[in-house]
Amino acid sequence: MTVINSPLPDQERKIAGSALQATLVDLLDLSLVAKQAHWNLYGPRFRSIHLQLDEVVTTAREYADTVAERAAALGVSPDGRAGTIAATSGLPSIAAGWTKDVDAVEALVEAFFAVIGRVRERIEVTGPADAVTQDLLIGLTADLEKQSRMFQAENRG
């Protein structure tokens, strides 16, 4: 059941809704991975990486809200519950405990690689179904790739 009438036919709504839900989960998990690293970070590059991690959290949370709002506009109920994230995220987990700066950077590089790859697949799938959702995913990917480059540059030092 949906309380919002979708502007899309059922099949296209399902395709876009599935892509949006999976992206929502990935973004929420990315924000959690970045916060975990942020809280437990130590090492000589603490300050710069600490601030970079906050930027990741902000970007992930803002896009998560945009993605969830888009899903709702299509009549798809977004699900950002912790259990859903834990059960369906495609991101590698980050180790518990204190995290050396170089290990945090590596964890974020891996997380970005996973999210970007998954979102790029969704860009292809959503194109024929919903250009608006595809456009949102394209903008998200550009921002994620920019942040990924910054973490990769940190890793090459």
Side-chain angles (χ1 to χ4, degrees), residues 34-105:
K35 262 307 180 192
Q36 181 68 21
H38 173 90
W39 292 324
N40 289 283
L41 187 69
Y42 73 94
R45 296 184 297 168
F46 171 85
R47 180 153 175 74
S48 65
I49 295 171
H50 195 257
L51 295 173
Q52 248 181 301
L53 289 165
D54 270 340
E55 291 174 16
V56 173
V57 171
T58 299
T59 298
R61 288 181 179 169
E62 287 176 357
Y63 268 104
D65 189 57
T66 301
V67 165
E69 294 289 350
R70 177 68 188 153
L74 296 178
V76 176
S77 175
D79 186 353
R81 296 173 299 157
T84 302
I85 296 165
T88 61
S89 175
L91 270 70
S93 62
I94 187 168
W98 298 110
T99 307
K100 186 156 178 54
D101 52 7
V102 295
D103 295 333
V105 168

Side-chain angles (χ1 to χ4, degrees), residues 20-32 64 68 77-89:
L20 290 164
Q21 176 59 38
T23 302
L24 174 63
V25 166
D26 285 349
L27 289 169
L28 292 173
D29 200 15
L30 178 62
S31 75
L32 294 171
S77 175
D79 186 353
R81 296 173 299 157
T84 302
I85 296 165
T88 61
S89 175

